[in-house]
Amino acid sequence: MLNNNLTWKTSPCSHSEWSQSDLVRVRLRAFISPLLVRVLSGLSPIQGLRAVVRETSGHQLLEVRKADLSILLRHQCWSILTDRCGFLVVAVQIWDRHGLRKCLNLTALNKHGRVYDDAQFGCLSWSECENKLLYVAEKIKNTSIEKHDGESPCRKDRSVYCEDWGESLTNKSVPVICVVNLQSGSISVLQGVPHDVSPGQALWAPSSQSVFLVGWYHEPFRLGLRFYLYLLVVFRLLCSGFPSSLIFFVFVVASSAGFYDLPDYGSWKLLTVQKDLMVVCCSSPNTPPTLRVGFLPSAGETVTWQTLQQPVMTFDFHWTVLDVTTPPEEDNTHYSGLDFGAVLVKPSRPPIEAKTPLVVFIHGGPHSQFPAEWNCTTAGLAKLGFAVLMVNYRGSTGFGQDSILSLIGQIGSQDVKDVQTAVRTALQRDIALDPNRLAVIGGSHGGFLSCHLVGQYPEFYRACAARNPVINAATLLGTSDIVDCVGIQYSYDQIPTAEALAAMLEKSPITHAAQIKAPVLLMLGGRDRRVSPHQGLELYKALKSRASPVRLLWFPEDGHSLSRVDTQADCFLNTVLWLHQHL
């Protein structure tokens, strides 16, 4: 990812920051790569100062953890130290080219709790004068003060339940916007944020007299924020003196200045626009990500793209995008005529056998998608001789709002049939694929569909690997950090009826458990807040009771995304061994 807080420099060098899994040390490592092009710097506006934070324990320097990557993308990070008494100490360090210029102990000022370094709330923004830094932290927990209007009661009594922001944000509850004055060494907490809004992602407005914030409504209660479309607003606070006051709300509407030809790669992602310079990340299923830049052209002209850094390697996989037509009998009467797509990736050299085994890869969400971009899992499977079909069933993003709406109330049927139609379409169009060696894999809603498919089409698939799948929507009710994780409309202010619970059960894979014949590999995160690991355990026990082949991998320290480096490696290796064993 490229720094998105960039200023023009006369020097011909800029930097991008990348992350890479280190399987030996079991960490996600970040590194900076210099790019020889006349553009950008992530330093402070005038003097080129850098706000740097390193994570340490005592006096020993540790590597940057994944939770810090959102800050590192801005060439910034926070320093978290532990003193000799074991208390957490947060310090901000200011560096220039000559070394450490200033270090402030934020904890000693006792104005806030732990600093947020996540991608949802976290930020670190320089003012134009370079005398102030803007960041987000947890509201201070002062048990000696009385409750104020809009303040959570957990601030008075530590035993009172304190809401958090769900999956991977369990230590985040009440964020506040803070400003540290680097000259005086003081900290101010911005006032004026509505009591029902949790602020984050703050940036200085021009002239640094006001601040733009993103806010999430948290009434009547907080929901899981990650991987979830949450109602948010953008608003501005006046900072000429504290406390500040709310000025106005701004709803952001995206617009397009033009359409430009995007050749060579399957996926283009716009990272940032600086004046008339566009920075994009390009990749394809056979090409890892690379950075390109191009200047916005005059009317009628085309963009000339310049590659900043060539991919470290490319692969000669064959890939194509399949357009899939919905059969008339499976058309949605309320949203008719909707087609969908899939991306087929095949190994360059076919296996010794006459035909290639096919792994059906299903995304979660359900409102997500598989772009025609680099995917490590897909590339690894293709390198090992498997063809991979990544299906974007109706309800995936990128196919219009009607496609999204068509899936509501139809999960467990429309999406299952769409995946099956895509698989049959791929088999018909490519005779090199082996219809007798088919497997299905996926996580979250992708795991939900994987388990549905081996239950509804027990003679069709030979193996299944599911990561944190939804198995029983009725028992999931009330245990997830969101309210519609399986595409069923539900509200906590309504007591579920017997009919509603029966409908949820009917749409769930558990109803087809007795028909499952394919061996099932389950991978569950013990700290999953989105889909309780007891969902997977429910299927595991149902299959074990019938002596059906099933294996369960339990990762006690991981959550819904199973994103720890060692977990990712464990899941991939076990999935590959499972496929080799049963295909």
Side-chain angles (χ1 to χ4, degrees), residues 189-243:
V189 177
L190 291 186
Q191 305 298 315
V193 178
H195 68 84
D196 59 345
V197 171
S198 289
Q201 300 183 24
L203 291 172
W204 291 104
S207 76
S208 301
Q209 297 301 309
S210 58
V211 174
F212 287 102
L213 313 171
V214 173
W216 291 267
Y217 289 112
H218 56 240
E219 294 295 343
F221 45 77
R222 291 162 178 79
L223 295 172
L225 192 57
R226 290 201 68 192
F227 320 117
Y228 187 59
L229 299 177
Y230 209 104
L231 179 62
L232 59 83
V233 292
V234 179
F235 58 98
R236 183 184 183 189
L237 291 178
L238 184 64
C239 300
S240 56
F242 298 94

Side-chain angles (χ1 to χ4, degrees), residues 257-260 295-303:
F259 297 91
Y260 305 104
F295 288 90
L296 292 170
S298 302
E301 297 182 358
T302 59
V303 181

Side-chain angles (χ1 to χ4, degrees), residues 27 44 64 100 165 209:
R27 294 182 185 276
S44 62
V64 179
L100 182 63
W165 287 96
Q209 297 301 309

Side-chain angles (χ1 to χ4, degrees), residues 54-73:
R54 294 179 176 85
E55 193 168 276
T56 64
S57 177
H59 299 288
Q60 182 179 359
L61 188 66
L62 300 180
E63 294 177 285
V64 179
R65 297 179 182 174
K66 184 176 181 182
D68 300 312
L69 288 180
S70 62
I71 304 301
L72 284 172
L73 296 180

Side-chain angles (χ1 to χ4, degrees), residues 547-562:
S548 299
V550 59
R551 186 172 186 233
L552 191 149
L553 303 180
W554 182 268
F555 303 97
E557 300 302 320
D558 224 320
H560 187 61
S561 60
L562 296 177

Side-chain angles (χ1 to χ4, degrees), residues 339-418:
D339 294 335
F340 57 100
V343 181
L344 177 62
V345 183
K346 297 170 54 181
S348 56
R349 298 178 182 177
I352 299 177
E353 296 86 357
K355 293 190 175 185
T356 306
L358 178 63
V359 177
V360 183
F361 193 1
I362 313 175
H363 67 70
H367 305 308
S368 179
Q369 65 166 271
F370 276 130
E373 66 180 7
W374 176 256
N375 184 295
C376 291
T377 298
T378 299
L381 291 172
K383 190 69 175 175
L384 293 171
F386 298 95
V388 182
L389 183 68
M390 300 183 289
V391 183
N392 291 313
Y393 45 86
R394 281 175 292 173
S396 302
T397 56
F399 295 85
Q401 186 65 16
D402 283 354
S403 178
I404 298 291
L405 297 175
S406 72
L407 187 56
I408 297 178
Q410 302 296 323
I411 60 110
S413 56
Q414 175 179 293
D415 44 4
V416 175
K417 294 175 182 177
D418 281 356

